[in-house]
Every structure is written in C-alpha cells, then in structure tokens.
Amino acid sequence: STRKSNRFPSSSPSPNNPGFLQKNNNVDEKGRIVGPFTEQPSPKNLLTRDNERGSRFRHTETDFSNLYARGDLLFSSCWRWWTSSLTTSARHLTDPPKCWTSTIHTSCWRAWRASTWSFLISRRAWSRSCVFVCWSFICSKYVCMYCICCFFHRFTYEIAPVFVLMEQLTLKKMREIVGWPNGEGDGIFSPGGAISNMYSVMVARYKHYPEVKTKGMTAAPRLVLFTSEHSHYSIKKASAVLGFGTENLILLKTDERGRVIPADLEAKVIDAKQKGCVPLFVNATAGSTVYGAFDPINEIADICEKYNMWLHVDGAWGGGLLMSRKHRHKLNGVERANSVTWNPHKMMGVPLQCSAILVREKGLLQGCNSMCAGYLFQPDKQYDVTYDTGDKAIQCGRHVDIFKFWLMWKAKGTSGFEKHIDRCLELSEYLYNKIKNREGYEMVFQGQPQHTNVCFWYIPPSLRDMPDREEKRQRLHKVAPKIKAMMMECGTTMVGYQPQGDKVNFFRMVISNPAATRSDIDFLIDEIERLGQDL
C-alpha cells in the first residue's frame, strides 16, 4: 500500500501545478522507485557501460530529485522493505539499504553504522537503530522540505530552533568534558578544524586588542604567535589571512617524538619581547597530524600565564581521547586553555563536516564577530535573542553539523564513544608491536605512539645491507610512494606516506575505524611485503 500517514503533511503537488522536484512525478516514475525494493540485484556490474540502458542505473545516477519528490511513498516503501528484511533476509545488518543514494541518506547511514557496529546483537540497540533509520528518512524529507534554511542557512533561533538547542546542549557537554566548571563558556560549530583554529586567533586578538575590530591592525603593536614546527598548517594560514603575517608566526622546536619543548617556547617569547614584539597567542597541539604527538599542555600553560598569552589547544585530531578514561591523561592541562578545537569528524567517526571551537570566556565570540545586522538579527524579537547564534560566526548561513553528531551520541552514548576510542588505540598498539622488531621495518621514532599514528619505513631486501648513505636515503625515499601506487592499482588498500623534516618518505598508518580487526592489520603488513619484496 502507498497510502500516506495522517501524522505528516502531504507534499504532493496538484496535477496542474507540479513542484520543481516533482516534474517527472508520474505513475511510471513511481514504479521505478518502488521497483528496487523488491527486485533482485542484477548480476551485472552497475558501474559498467553494459547497464547504461537499465532503469536502475539511470535512477541511481541521475534522478536524485525523485527521492525527495515522493517522500511519503519512499518512506513507507523503504520502511516496509527494511523492517521486513530484518527477519526474512540474510543481509548483513551493516549493509546499507540499496535505495539510499542521496548524500543526506548516505550520511545518516554512515552515522547509524558507526553508532551501532558494536551493538548489533542487542535488542535494545536494534530499537535505537530502527528509530535512527526512521528518523533519518523523516528528517531528509520533512525537515528539508520545511525549509532549506534549516540545513544550509541556520542563523537564527526562529529558523531552526531545535538545531540551535541541540548545538548549545552538545557544546556545553563538550566543555564539561574539557574540564571547564559547569560547562561554562561559549562555542560554535564551524566548517572544519582550520576555521576553528582561525576563530581562536581572532578571539585572542579581540580579547587583548578589541579596537582592531574597527581600526584594523594599525591599532595594535607587532603581535607574534607561537606554534609547534609539527603543528597543522592552518595556524600559519590563520596568521596570513588575519593580517599578522607568516613571518610573525614563530615555530617551536620539538623533541624526537614531535612534542614541543617548553624551554624553547619561553626562550623565544623572551627574544620576541626584546625585539619589541608582543607575544599574543600560543598553539599547543593535542595529536599532531604526522606523529600524533601531544604537546605538554600544563608546562605550556604555565608559560602562557606568566607572559599573559592566550593558550589554544588544537585537539582537532586528538580531542576525541577526552572521551576515554584510559587515554584522556594525554591532554592533561587542557582545562587551562582559553580555547580548544575539537573535531568529532576525525577520531570519533562523525561524518564530515563536524568541528567545534570551544571558548572558555563567554561573550568573546559574539563581541569579536557581531555586526548587528538589523535586517536579520532584530533585537526586539519575542524570544531571548541570545539564541540567535548566527551573529557570532564569521559565516551568515551555517550547515547543521550538530544533527548527525547529536544523533550519533544518542545512539552510541558516551560509553560507546569511549569503546570506540579505546578500540582504535588498541589496534594501533597491535600494529606497533607487530612491526617494531620485524625484519624489514624501522620505526620513525622509538617508543609506543601516543595516538593511533604508527610511522615506519619498510626497507626492501635490496636495501637492507646497503650502508646508511645518501644513495640508500634516495632509494628509500621512493619505496613508500611506489608501494602505495601499487596498492591503489591493485585495489587492495591505501596507506598514507610523507616526509618529515630531514626524514625521507615513510608510511603513516592511522586507525580511526573501530570496525577494523587484527586480521586487517595482518593483511596490510603482508601486502606491503608482497608489493615491496622486489623493489
């Protein structure tokens, strides 16, 4: 039956006035939508040209609009197909429904899969999962049809009240986890860690020199910023974009494992002051991109307090470890930071994009970025206008990044995220122990990695007896790129590589998917050896 539920408003256009997304809404087209739920998959490869004339191929590749045009039909049909398949089909419970081809449906599927992978045998988990699937379809149709503004132009409470409240509650919980009393402070979700880091520099400058907002950089002395030589390039980009200049970003030395040396920070702060500069901002990295290193936050915080500098912790990659009681000690001192970047779309597995900038002092984001545009942010509305979060962002419209994160957190729970983090760290430890003394492998630095980044060289048999000279370095530099290229050509796996400082190209294996297994790690090592044996 395709009878519509009375619980939701009808979205069918009148026969004489078809909607924009419903121009092809005829009986034949409806049949094309329902068909895939009952048809058996074609044995042919859907990606080959053999299927160009098939309706299934044309539908999944070109006709995305119909997924929204007939939302009631799609929802009821899909729900019947999915619920019936739970008991009658041998389909793996982690396989996505074949009808989910839109971006929003796929994102919801990824979030659902990540949130339930470890609970699939639990009846309670199944009930939560089914609710998630149902909610995803409802939201993709009714919330999006309510207005595109909700998802892509969210700047006032009246436009998207539920999402504003979701964001505020979630940000407060994140601040509590950081360690700020009662979760006080401020925050906002941004388009990524690079923008979150830029927010931190902007707010630091506004805190110490608010007149820069109106008068520009001429109202401030020569300001300098400090960050690790292993930090993310976004700090350098922020110094350029915000008018500090990259020459006023001072790089700090690190130890052999990529952690900032606090003594070098203090020495460079003193040197900058002697040159007439004003030290403003220090970035401490919690989980560096290459080594996964955690800077000593407490020692850096002591220096920042001594010289009245803003301390920012870039926890884009490592912030997720705050969810683990076993590993959060690696961020000891984070509660002393003035601001924190935390990307749930990295270690926590939330679909892109989902990044938060957390600020300890409330009001700074608003003061720094507010332009008081009366045609959008009227001060005399009937509700508390502090819920209008749009004016404290550098954007006007913002994507609703909170929705998928909130849903995932509700599904997994805090303990689910903790298991997720612990599992990934456990797998990286397994990889490290497997190769640290294995013939043909050499670790980039000694000791167990702090994060899931495992950095190593694979040395083919032809290079193992060569003296450690420039010729060997040049040949070793080509090994990782060649193996990766062959992996991709074979379609087996893909592992990142890069040089670092004076070190030639090495593999950087990063684990963020808790569904990986030890057999996956074993396969990776076997594949590297198979492909690199004759290099």
Coordinates of all heavy atoms in Angstrom, one line a residue, residues 290-343:
V290 N 51.1 14.2 11.8 CA 52.0 13.1 11.3 C 52.3 12.2 12.5 O 52.1 11.0 12.4 CB 53.3 13.7 10.7 CG1 54.2 12.6 10.3 CG2 53.0 14.6 9.6
Y291 N 52.9 12.6 13.5 CA 53.4 11.8 14.6 C 52.2 11.4 15.6 O 52.4 10.5 16.4 CB 54.5 12.4 15.4 CG 55.9 12.4 14.6 CD1 56.0 11.8 13.4 CD2 57.0 12.9 15.3 CE1 57.2 11.8 12.7 CE2 58.2 12.8 14.6 CZ 58.3 12.3 13.3 OH 59.5 12.3 12.7
G292 N 51.2 12.2 15.6 CA 50.1 12.0 16.6 C 50.6 12.4 18.0 O 50.2 11.9 19.0
A293 N 51.5 13.4 18.1 CA 52.1 13.9 19.3 C 51.2 14.8 20.1 O 50.5 15.6 19.5 CB 53.4 14.5 19.0
F294 N 51.3 14.7 21.4 CA 50.6 15.6 22.3 C 51.6 16.5 23.0 O 52.4 16.1 23.8 CB 49.8 14.8 23.4 CG 48.6 14.1 22.8 CD1 48.8 12.9 22.0 CD2 47.3 14.6 22.9 CE1 47.7 12.2 21.5 CE2 46.2 13.9 22.4 CZ 46.4 12.7 21.7
D295 N 51.5 17.8 22.8 CA 52.3 18.8 23.5 C 52.0 18.8 25.0 O 50.9 18.5 25.4 CB 52.1 20.2 22.9 CG 52.7 20.3 21.5 OD1 53.5 19.5 21.1 OD2 52.2 21.2 20.8
P296 N 53.0 19.1 25.8 CA 52.8 19.2 27.3 C 52.1 20.4 27.7 O 52.6 21.5 27.9 CB 54.3 19.2 27.8 CG 55.1 19.8 26.7 CD 54.5 19.4 25.4
I297 N 50.7 20.3 27.7 CA 49.9 21.4 27.9 C 50.1 22.2 29.2 O 50.1 23.4 29.3 CB 48.4 21.0 27.7 CG1 48.2 20.4 26.4 CG2 47.5 22.2 27.9 CD1 46.8 19.8 26.2
N298 N 50.3 21.4 30.3 CA 50.4 22.1 31.6 C 51.7 23.0 31.6 O 51.6 24.1 32.1 CB 50.5 21.0 32.7 CG 49.2 20.7 33.3 OD1 48.4 21.6 33.6 ND2 48.9 19.5 33.6
E299 N 52.8 22.5 31.1 CA 54.0 23.3 31.1 C 53.9 24.5 30.2 O 54.4 25.6 30.5 CB 55.2 22.4 30.6 CG 55.5 21.3 31.6 CD 56.6 20.4 31.1 OE1 57.7 20.8 30.9 OE2 56.2 19.2 30.9
I300 N 53.2 24.3 29.1 CA 52.9 25.5 28.1 C 52.0 26.5 28.8 O 52.2 27.7 28.7 CB 52.4 25.0 26.8 CG1 53.4 24.1 26.1 CG2 51.9 26.1 25.9 CD1 52.9 23.4 24.8
A301 N 51.0 26.0 29.5 CA 50.0 26.9 30.2 C 50.8 27.7 31.3 O 50.4 28.9 31.4 CB 48.9 26.0 30.9
D302 N 51.7 27.1 32.0 CA 52.5 27.9 32.9 C 53.2 29.1 32.3 O 53.2 30.3 32.8 CB 53.6 27.1 33.6 CG 53.0 26.0 34.5 OD1 51.8 26.2 35.0 OD2 53.6 25.0 34.8
I303 N 53.7 28.9 31.1 CA 54.4 30.0 30.4 C 53.4 31.0 29.9 O 53.7 32.2 29.9 CB 55.3 29.4 29.3 CG1 56.4 28.5 29.8 CG2 55.9 30.5 28.4 CD1 57.1 27.6 28.8
C304 N 52.3 30.6 29.4 CA 51.3 31.5 28.9 C 50.8 32.4 30.0 O 50.6 33.6 29.8 CB 50.1 30.7 28.3 SG 50.5 29.9 26.7
E305 N 50.5 31.8 31.2 CA 50.1 32.6 32.3 C 51.1 33.6 32.8 O 50.9 34.8 33.1 CB 49.7 31.7 33.5 CG 48.4 30.9 33.2 CD 48.1 29.9 34.2 OE1 48.8 29.8 35.3 OE2 47.1 29.1 34.1
K306 N 52.4 33.2 32.7 CA 53.5 34.1 33.1 C 53.6 35.3 32.2 O 53.9 36.4 32.7 CB 54.8 33.2 33.1 CG 56.0 34.0 33.6 CD 57.2 33.1 33.6 CE 58.5 33.8 34.0 NZ 59.7 32.9 34.0
Y307 N 53.4 35.1 30.9 CA 53.6 36.2 30.0 C 52.3 36.7 29.4 O 52.3 37.5 28.4 CB 54.5 35.8 28.9 CG 55.9 35.5 29.3 CD1 56.3 34.1 29.6 CD2 56.8 36.5 29.6 CE1 57.6 33.8 30.0 CE2 58.1 36.2 30.0 CZ 58.5 34.9 30.2 OH 59.8 34.6 30.7
N308 N 51.2 36.4 30.0 CA 49.8 36.9 29.6 C 49.5 36.6 28.2 O 49.2 37.5 27.4 CB 49.7 38.4 29.9 CG 48.3 38.9 29.8 OD1 47.3 38.1 30.1 ND2 48.1 40.1 29.4
M309 N 49.7 35.4 27.8 CA 49.4 35.0 26.4 C 48.2 34.0 26.3 O 47.9 33.3 27.3 CB 50.6 34.2 25.8 CG 51.8 35.1 25.6 SD 53.2 34.2 24.8 CE 53.6 32.9 26.1
W310 N 47.5 34.1 25.2 CA 46.3 33.2 25.0 C 46.8 31.8 24.7 O 47.6 31.6 23.8 CB 45.5 33.8 23.9 CG 44.2 33.0 23.5 CD1 44.1 31.9 22.8 CD2 42.9 33.4 23.9 NE1 42.8 31.5 22.7 CE2 42.0 32.4 23.3 CE3 42.3 34.5 24.6 CZ2 40.6 32.5 23.5 CZ3 40.9 34.5 24.7 CH2 40.1 33.5 24.2
L311 N 46.2 30.8 25.4 CA 46.6 29.4 25.1 C 45.4 28.7 24.4 O 44.3 28.7 24.9 CB 46.9 28.7 26.4 CG 47.1 27.1 26.2 CD1 48.3 26.8 25.3 CD2 47.3 26.5 27.6
H312 N 45.8 28.3 23.2 CA 44.8 27.5 22.4 C 45.3 26.1 22.3 O 46.5 25.8 22.1 CB 44.6 28.1 21.0 CG 43.8 27.3 20.1 ND1 42.4 27.1 20.3 CD2 44.1 26.6 18.9 CE1 41.9 26.3 19.3 NE2 42.9 26.0 18.5
V313 N 44.4 25.1 22.4 CA 44.7 23.7 22.2 C 44.1 23.2 21.0 O 42.8 23.2 20.9 CB 44.3 22.8 23.4 CG1 44.5 21.3 23.1 CG2 45.1 23.2 24.7
D314 N 44.9 22.8 20.0 CA 44.3 22.3 18.7 C 44.2 20.8 18.9 O 45.1 20.0 18.7 CB 45.3 22.6 17.6 CG 44.8 21.9 16.3 OD1 43.7 21.4 16.2 OD2 45.5 22.0 15.3
G315 N 43.0 20.4 19.4 CA 42.6 19.0 19.6 C 41.8 18.4 18.4 O 41.0 17.5 18.7
A316 N 42.0 19.0 17.2 CA 41.2 18.5 16.1 C 41.3 17.0 16.0 O 40.3 16.3 15.8 CB 41.6 19.2 14.8
W317 N 42.5 16.5 16.0 CA 42.8 15.1 15.9 C 42.7 14.3 17.2 O 42.2 13.2 17.3 CB 44.1 14.8 15.2 CG 44.6 13.4 15.0 CD1 45.9 13.0 15.3 CD2 43.9 12.3 14.6 NE1 46.0 11.7 15.0 CE2 44.8 11.2 14.6 CE3 42.6 12.0 14.3 CZ2 44.4 9.9 14.3 CZ3 42.2 10.7 13.9 CH2 43.1 9.7 13.9
G318 N 43.3 14.9 18.2 CA 43.4 14.2 19.5 C 42.3 14.5 20.5 O 42.3 13.8 21.6
G319 N 41.4 15.4 20.2 CA 40.4 15.8 21.2 C 39.5 14.6 21.6 O 39.0 14.6 22.7
G320 N 39.3 13.7 20.6 CA 38.4 12.6 20.9 C 38.9 11.7 22.1 O 38.0 11.1 22.7
L321 N 40.2 11.8 22.4 CA 40.7 11.0 23.5 C 40.1 11.5 24.9 O 40.2 10.7 25.9 CB 42.2 11.0 23.5 CG 42.9 9.9 22.7 CD1 42.6 10.0 21.2 CD2 44.4 9.9 22.9
L322 N 39.5 12.7 24.9 CA 38.9 13.1 26.1 C 37.7 12.2 26.5 O 37.3 12.2 27.7 CB 38.4 14.6 26.0 CG 39.5 15.6 25.9 CD1 38.9 17.0 25.4 CD2 40.2 15.8 27.2
M323 N 37.2 11.5 25.6 CA 36.1 10.6 25.9 C 36.5 9.3 26.5 O 35.7 8.5 27.0 CB 35.3 10.2 24.6 CG 34.9 11.4 23.7 SD 33.6 12.4 24.5 CE 32.2 11.4 24.3
S324 N 37.8 9.1 26.6 CA 38.3 7.8 27.1 C 39.0 8.0 28.5 O 40.0 8.8 28.6 CB 39.4 7.2 26.1 OG 40.1 6.2 26.8
R325 N 38.5 7.4 29.5 CA 39.2 7.5 30.8 C 40.6 6.9 30.8 O 41.5 7.3 31.6 CB 38.3 6.7 31.8 CG 37.0 7.4 32.2 CD 36.1 6.5 33.0 NE 35.5 5.5 32.2 CZ 34.6 4.6 32.6 NH1 34.2 4.7 33.8 NH2 34.2 3.7 31.7
K326 N 40.8 6.0 29.9 CA 42.2 5.4 29.8 C 43.2 6.3 29.1 O 44.4 6.3 29.5 CB 42.1 4.1 29.0 CG 43.4 3.3 28.9 CD 43.1 2.0 28.1 CE 44.5 1.2 27.9 NZ 44.2 -0.1 27.2
H327 N 42.8 7.1 28.2 CA 43.7 7.9 27.4 C 43.6 9.4 27.6 O 44.5 10.1 27.0 CB 43.5 7.6 25.9 CG 43.8 6.1 25.6 ND1 45.1 5.7 25.5 CD2 43.0 5.1 25.3 CE1 45.1 4.4 25.2 NE2 43.9 4.0 25.1
R328 N 42.6 9.9 28.3 CA 42.5 11.4 28.4 C 43.6 12.1 29.1 O 43.8 13.3 29.0 CB 41.1 11.8 29.0 CG 40.9 11.4 30.4 CD 39.6 12.1 31.0 NE 39.9 13.6 31.1 CZ 39.0 14.5 30.7 NH1 37.9 14.1 30.1 NH2 39.3 15.8 30.8
H329 N 44.4 11.3 29.8 CA 45.5 11.9 30.5 C 46.5 12.5 29.6 O 47.3 13.4 30.0 CB 46.3 10.9 31.4 CG 46.9 9.8 30.6 ND1 48.2 9.9 30.2 CD2 46.5 8.6 30.1 CE1 48.6 8.8 29.5 NE2 47.5 8.0 29.5
K330 N 46.5 12.1 28.3 CA 47.4 12.7 27.3 C 47.1 14.2 27.0 O 47.9 14.9 26.5 CB 47.3 11.9 26.0 CG 47.8 10.4 26.2 CD 47.5 9.6 25.0 CE 47.9 8.1 25.3 NZ 47.6 7.2 24.2
L331 N 45.9 14.6 27.4 CA 45.5 16.0 27.3 C 45.5 16.7 28.7 O 44.8 17.7 28.8 CB 44.2 16.2 26.6 CG 44.1 15.8 25.1 CD1 43.7 14.4 25.0 CD2 43.2 16.7 24.4
N332 N 46.2 16.2 29.6 CA 46.3 16.9 30.9 C 46.6 18.3 30.8 O 47.6 18.7 30.1 CB 47.3 16.2 31.9 CG 46.7 14.9 32.5 OD1 45.5 14.6 32.4 ND2 47.6 14.1 33.1
G333 N 45.8 19.2 31.5 CA 46.0 20.6 31.4 C 45.1 21.3 30.4 O 45.1 22.5 30.3
V334 N 44.4 20.6 29.6 CA 43.5 21.2 28.6 C 42.5 22.1 29.2 O 42.1 23.1 28.6 CB 42.8 20.1 27.7 CG1 41.8 19.3 28.6 CG2 42.1 20.7 26.5
E335 N 42.1 21.9 30.5 CA 41.2 22.7 31.1 C 41.7 24.1 31.4 O 41.0 25.1 31.7 CB 40.7 22.1 32.4 CG 41.7 22.1 33.6 CD 42.8 21.0 33.4 OE1 42.6 20.1 32.5 OE2 43.7 20.9 34.2
R336 N 43.0 24.3 31.3 CA 43.7 25.6 31.5 C 43.7 26.4 30.2 O 44.1 27.6 30.2 CB 45.1 25.4 32.0 CG 45.1 24.7 33.3 CD 46.6 24.4 33.8 NE 47.3 25.6 34.0 CZ 48.6 25.6 34.3 NH1 49.3 24.5 34.4 NH2 49.2 26.8 34.6
A337 N 43.3 25.8 29.1 CA 43.3 26.5 27.8 C 42.2 27.6 27.7 O 41.2 27.5 28.3 CB 43.1 25.5 26.6
N338 N 42.5 28.6 27.0 CA 41.5 29.7 26.7 C 40.5 29.2 25.6 O 39.4 29.7 25.5 CB 42.1 31.0 26.3 CG 43.1 31.5 27.4 OD1 44.3 31.4 27.3 ND2 42.5 32.1 28.4
S339 N 41.0 28.4 24.7 CA 40.1 27.9 23.6 C 40.6 26.5 23.2 O 41.8 26.2 23.4 CB 40.1 28.8 22.4 OG 41.4 29.1 21.9
V340 N 39.7 25.7 22.6 CA 40.0 24.4 22.2 C 39.3 24.1 20.9 O 38.1 24.4 20.7 CB 39.5 23.3 23.3 CG1 39.8 21.9 22.8 CG2 40.2 23.6 24.6
T341 N 40.0 23.5 20.0 CA 39.4 23.0 18.7 C 39.2 21.5 18.9 O 40.1 20.8 19.4 CB 40.3 23.2 17.5 OG1 40.4 24.6 17.2 CG2 39.8 22.5 16.3
W342 N 38.1 21.0 18.6 CA 37.8 19.5 18.7 C 36.9 19.1 17.5 O 35.9 19.7 17.3 CB 37.0 19.4 20.0 CG 36.6 17.9 20.4 CD1 36.7 16.8 19.6 CD2 36.1 17.5 21.6 NE1 36.3 15.7 20.3 CE2 35.9 16.1 21.5 CE3 35.7 18.1 22.8 CZ2 35.4 15.3 22.6 CZ3 35.2 17.4 23.9 CH2 35.1 16.0 23.8
N343 N 37.4 18.2 16.7 CA 36.7 17.7 15.5 C 36.1 16.3 15.7 O 36.8 15.3 15.6 CB 37.7 17.6 14.4 CG 38.1 19.0 13.8 OD1 37.8 20.0 14.4 ND2 38.7 18.9 12.6

